[in-house]
Amino acid sequence: MGHAHRRLIIAVLRNGLNLLNVAADLQTVVIGVVIIVAVYLDVLRQRSRKKA
């Protein structure tokens, strides 16, 4: 996925959290968790490619 797609996903997520009236601090935490999960899944995907 390209850089623009990643930024779009974060923007949509932030907009949705704003619409749900989620506090700004919690928005930062949620977006951080999403990024960490995405990186973890990418590492797992790369490891599985190396084994195959």
Side-chain angles (χ1 to χ4, degrees):
M1 208 182 285
H3 182 69
H5 290 108
R6 292 182 203 131
R7 289 185 56 99
L8 179 64
I9 290 169
I10 296 296
V12 168
L13 181 60
R14 187 175 301 275
N15 186 41
L17 292 170
N18 275 330
L19 291 173
L20 293 171
N21 293 322
V22 176
D25 294 343
L26 187 55
Q27 288 182 26
T28 303
V29 171
V30 169
I31 290 172
V33 168
V34 168
I35 291 170
I36 290 169
V37 168
V39 169
Y40 178 72
L41 292 175
D42 189 50
V43 168
L44 289 178
R45 184 177 51 91
Q46 288 178 2
R47 285 184 184 169
S48 68
R49 281 187 179 176
K50 288 181 182 179
K51 289 180 183 179

